[in-house]
């Protein structure tokens, strides 16, 4: 394993450096506190079909554009400090023109969809499956048909994909492997064949030509640890090979793994480069263009009280950051520091029509919008 390539500098120095460079294209964000409710997931979509974006988090949805008016969705079961609601995936399951949500939790071990009634009524809960402890769930169009598949991360159980059948309005389970999934999940073309592969902590599953009819091949290529959901699959250094961006969900570390191909054997090796070894609980992230320069940035942050202060670094201050690639390394820029972290599932969206993506974050430390005000 290759050593870190970035210079080792104290965290306080890194923060000071960002402040000194704040006039050089760093984005400014304005915080709006929506609620102190401690759900760890949020989505943005038009709930009531009035043409305005709304926020959906846990037991409530918040009516846009101001988000002051709160509407009740239904109860969410609580286990200690956790609400058993670990994703908010928008999906019109029953094809009625109203967007529903898909979620699930660790404690209930059940994947469900909640039916949008189109008014101030409770949303009916429909069980999809009981795949085991659900760390969180993601949606990805694995076969390129324009409809996302639902993929829960079940660390203690096999990896199962749920494909929506529009005729029956149900989800068909497709088991990828009998091996345990592990903590972490990512999607992207690893071997350059144009198909979407699936990344898990100990390797990757190679997608066949017919992903829901043929066998997926597992490649034991690395050991990433207890890693983020998602693991980002992207060509970081623009060399034609997709790399991995990996956060440690319950430990210190944020790295990118450079894929290098042996031209003789065709095999790949993975070289680890540090992005930020000084913060812990990088449990979730996005790879999106936040500053409108045409290139994606890494948006992430520390999850607040991921394991109720039992993880390394739990006492460290939380933060939300974006990391910009400068063709050699990532530079860290601060969205918020000391008062807000990220949960399990967050999103970006242009809430104001500014042409800039805002950041919407839920967590045990509240639900907030960070409005993107552009360059300082």
């Amino acid at each position: 394993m290759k050593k870190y390539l970035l210079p080792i500098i104290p965290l306080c120095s890194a923060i000071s450096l960002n402040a000194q460079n704040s006039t050089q294209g760093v984005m400014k964000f304005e915080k709006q506190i929506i609620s102190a409710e401690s759900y760890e997931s949020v989505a943005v979509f038009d709930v009531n079909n009035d043409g305005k974006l709304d926020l959906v988090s846990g037991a409530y949805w918040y009516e846009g554009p101001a988000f002051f008016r709160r509407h009740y969705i239904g109860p969410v079961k609580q286990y200690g400090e956790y609400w058993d609601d670990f994703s908010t995936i928008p999906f019109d399951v029953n094809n009625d023109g109203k967007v529903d949500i898909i979620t699930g939790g660790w404690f209930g071990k059940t994947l469900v969809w909640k039916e949008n009634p189109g008014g101030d009524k409770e949303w009916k809960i429909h069980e999809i499956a009981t795949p085991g402890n659900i760390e969180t769930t993601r949606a990805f169009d694995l076969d390129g048909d324009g409809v996302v598949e639902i993929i829960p991360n079940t660390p203690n159980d096999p990896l199962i994909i749920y494909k929506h059948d529009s005729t029956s309005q149900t989800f068909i389970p497709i088991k990828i492997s009998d091996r345990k999934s592990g903590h972490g999940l990512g999607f992207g073309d690893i071997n350059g064949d144009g198909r979407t592969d699936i990344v898990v902590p100990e390797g990757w599953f190679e997608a066949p030509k017919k992903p829901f009819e043929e066998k997926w091949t597992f490649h034991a290529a690395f050991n990433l640890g207890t890693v983020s959901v998602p693991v980002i699959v992207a060509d970081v250094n623009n060399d034609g090979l997709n790399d991995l961006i990996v956060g440690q969900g319950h430990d210190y570390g944020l790295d990118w793994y450079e894929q290098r191909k042996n031209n003789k054997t065709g095999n790949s090796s993975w070289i680890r480069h540090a992005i930020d070894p000084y913060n812990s609980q990088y449990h979730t992230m996005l790879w999106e263009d936040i500053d409108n320069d045409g290139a994606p940035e890494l948006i992430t942050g520390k999850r607040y009280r991921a394991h109720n202060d039992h993880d390394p670094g739990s006492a460290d201050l939380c933060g939300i950051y974006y990391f910009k690639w400068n063709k050699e390394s990532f530079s860290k820029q601060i969205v918020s520091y000391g008062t807000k972290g990220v949960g399990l599932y967050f999103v970006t969206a242009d809430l104001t029509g500014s042409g800039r993506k805002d950041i919407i974050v839920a967590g045990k430390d509240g639900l907030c919008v960070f409005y993107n005000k552009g360059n300082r």
Side-chain angles (χ1 to χ4, degrees):
M1 189 70 71
K2 191 171 182 177
K3 293 182 178 180
Y4 290 131
L5 299 184
L6 298 184
I8 304 300
I9 52 178
L11 179 58
C12 58
S13 297
I15 295 168
S16 175
L17 179 62
N18 287 338
Q20 291 170 8
N21 291 340
S22 63
T23 60
Q24 299 178 17
V26 176
M27 309 300 292
K28 180 181 179 181
F29 292 86
E30 201 170 84
K31 179 181 178 182
Q32 179 187 357
I33 299 173
I34 305 299
S35 175
E37 294 290 347
S38 55
Y39 309 101
E40 292 197 73
S41 178
V42 61
V44 175
F45 60 91
D46 185 359
V47 173
N48 54 353
N49 289 342
D50 66 351
K52 300 180 180 69
L53 291 175
D54 309 300
L55 310 185
V56 181
S57 182
Y60 303 97
W61 68 274
Y62 302 82
E63 190 173 336
F67 312 120
F68 294 142
R69 188 178 178 190
R70 187 173 76 171
H71 303 260
Y72 188 58
I73 290 175
V76 177
K77 196 163 184 179
Q78 187 173 14
Y79 296 83
E81 290 189 24
Y82 295 95
W83 297 95
D84 210 27
D85 181 75
F86 288 0
S87 65
T88 313
I89 298 173
F91 197 118
D92 184 3
V93 177
N94 56 357
N95 299 313
D96 66 351
K98 298 185 289 290
V99 180
D100 314 300
I101 56 173
I102 296 172
T103 185
W106 180 267
F107 302 94
K109 303 181 180 182
T110 306
L111 187 67
V112 302
W113 70 277
K114 297 184 179 183
E115 183 178 354
N116 182 349
D120 281 332
K121 303 174 184 177
E122 282 195 25
W123 295 33
K124 185 177 180 181
I125 298 175
H126 303 263
E127 182 177 311
I128 297 173
T130 52
N133 301 109
I134 301 172
E135 183 72 17
T136 183
T137 303
R138 290 298 183 271
F140 205 94
D141 184 3
L142 295 171
D143 58 356
D145 66 351
V147 180
V148 296
E149 281 68 55
I150 305 302
I151 310 102
N153 180 214
T154 51
N156 302 319
D157 293 277
L159 177 61
I160 299 176
I161 294 167
Y162 295 89
K163 184 168 181 59
H164 185 247
D165 179 74
S166 59
T167 302
S168 64
Q169 299 176 359
T170 60
F171 290 88
I172 300 168
I174 299 132
K175 184 185 284 189
I176 297 301
S177 170
D178 288 325
R179 62 179 293 131
K180 289 184 178 181
S181 301
H183 187 298
L185 192 63
F187 312 97
D189 185 3
I190 297 297
N191 58 354
D193 64 358
R195 298 192 288 269
T196 300
D197 308 305
I198 299 178
V199 176
V200 293
E202 295 180 347
W204 59 283
F205 288 96
E206 181 181 349
K209 290 182 179 179
K210 298 179 179 179
F212 306 125
E213 300 176 26
E214 299 173 344
K215 183 179 178 181
W216 293 61
T217 302
F218 181 70
H219 301 269
F222 33 69
N223 192 344
L224 302 176
T226 306
V227 295
S228 53
V229 185
V231 170
I232 302 295
V233 180
D235 185 1
V236 172
N237 55 356
N238 295 312
D239 65 351
L241 298 173
N242 273 335
D243 311 298
L244 306 178
I245 304 175
V246 178
Q248 292 301 318
H250 298 285
D251 206 338
Y252 282 93
L254 176 64
D255 307 279
W256 73 280
Y257 286 74
E258 179 186 358
Q259 182 177 184
R260 292 185 183 175
K261 188 84 72 174
N262 186 313
N263 292 329
K264 292 183 178 179
T265 65
N267 296 327
S268 290
S269 59
W270 300 87
I271 312 302
R272 185 175 69 168
H273 306 274
I275 300 173
D276 182 6
Y278 303 108
N279 277 271
S280 71
Q281 298 168 103
Y282 281 116
H283 204 288
T284 186
M285 58 188 66
L286 297 172
W287 181 244
E288 296 184 6
D289 184 5
I290 198 73
D291 60 2
N292 287 351
D293 68 346
E297 285 76 45
L298 174 64
I299 311 164
T300 184
K302 180 186 174 188
R303 182 182 170 198
Y304 177 65
R305 291 179 63 79
H307 277 164
N308 298 344
D309 286 345
H310 295 296
D311 284 337
S314 289
D316 299 344
L317 292 176
C318 284
I320 303 171
Y321 317 105
Y322 70 94
F323 294 82
K324 192 165 184 62
W325 176 251
N326 62 14
K327 299 183 180 180
E328 293 182 355
S329 61
F330 283 93
S331 62
K332 181 179 183 179
Q333 310 296 343
I334 296 171
V335 175
S336 175
Y337 184 72
T339 60
K340 185 72 181 85
V342 300
L344 284 163
Y345 190 106
F346 76 106
V347 292
T348 65
D350 182 1
L351 297 176
T352 65
S354 68
R356 297 182 296 268
K357 290 183 177 180
D358 310 302
I359 302 174
I360 304 93
V361 183
K364 294 176 183 176
D365 50 358
L367 172 63
C368 296
V369 174
F370 290 88
Y371 292 101
N372 186 342
K373 311 304 287 187
N375 291 341
R376 300 185 197 182

